[in-house]
Amino acid sequence: DTGVSQNPRHKITKRGQNVTFRCDPISEHNRLYWYRQTLGQGPEFLTYFQNEAQLEKSRLLSDRFSAERPKGSFSTLEIQRTEQGDSAMYLCASSFRTGGGGETQYFGPGTRLLVL
Amino acid sequence: AQTVTQSQPEMSVQEAETVTLSCTYDTSESDYYLFWYKQPPSRQMILVIRQEAYKQQNATENRFSVNFQKAAKSFSLKISDSQLGDAAMYFCAYSPPMNRDDKIIFGKGTRLHILP
């Protein structure tokens, strides 16, 4: 297993376009998280899944953002009608939530989005 | 609601010296998990060290150790024999107990500079 992977690594788009990012978690992990990170800041929670169920979505997230994890494996994050304020690094992390072992998140390399 | 506070936005340390990064958190839970993550410039976030709240013994990983003060809700990271490769953003994180479906919460980070 090579860890969490994200594609694409970089995306440049024009304002108003739609973009979609993909995250492939570590195979046995049941939880998958999406974060947004701007320069010099900590990860800002966007949403997370346990298997295929989306358990929480940040109240800061506009309706232009949607995420799916259809089969409880990979996940996609779509941003519709992108705005310049959406420019950021989008991080994916996965973990295995167990009954007694706690939860450690493993991060992917991120997708850096630039909206022109 | 749980919060994680890192009061030092930036720190510097001379190579080979020891540095301590501070983290405080707020929770009403008695069983939880704490983490330090490292994010080198333009690189992936990786786990440095993890502490279970029920364990009194402080976690240690090579040159990295923590000072976990449960009553004070303090979780500092000590880096001994600092190396140039330790330069990074360091994030403290809190994970709720296993019977909760809450997400992990990150602090805003401390940028560590290593002076040659």
Side-chain angles (χ1 to χ4, degrees), chain B residues 50-98:
Chain B
R50 158 192 160 126
Q51 174 81 43
E52 290 88 344
Y54 65 86
K55 289 186 178 179
Q56 292 186 334
Q57 186 173 7
N58 289 323
T60 298
E61 283 289 341
N62 301 315
R63 297 182 297 106
F64 298 86
S65 62
V66 299
N67 183 6
F68 174 48
Q69 302 289 329
K70 191 172 184 179
K73 296 180 183 176
S74 171
F75 182 62
S76 60
L77 175 70
K78 185 172 82 171
I79 306 174
S80 304
D81 185 26
S82 298
Q83 301 176 359
L84 294 177
D86 296 333
M89 281 288 285
Y90 286 82
F91 295 99
C92 178
Y94 164 94
S95 174
M98 293 309 304

Side-chain angles (χ1 to χ4, degrees), chain A residues 13-72:
Chain A
T13 191
K14 292 183 179 178
R15 186 163 47 100
Q17 298 294 306
N18 298 345
V19 294
T20 300
F21 309 142
R22 176 176 170 130
C23 172
D24 287 89
I26 294 172
S27 58
E28 66 269 22
H29 283 185
N30 56 359
R31 282 199 167 186
L32 187 149
Y33 294 77
W34 285 100
Y35 295 92
R36 178 170 58 193
Q37 186 179 28
T38 53
L39 198 62
Q41 298 296 313
E44 175 191 22
F45 169 77
L46 295 180
T47 188
Y48 82 106
F49 295 83
Q50 179 150 311
N51 300 313
E52 64 276 6
Q54 188 172 18
L55 294 188
E56 186 177 346
K57 185 175 177 181
S58 170
R59 286 168 290 182
L60 300 176
L61 212 56
S62 79
D63 292 341
R64 297 183 296 104
F65 287 72
S66 62
E68 293 182 341
R69 194 183 184 199
K71 296 182 180 179

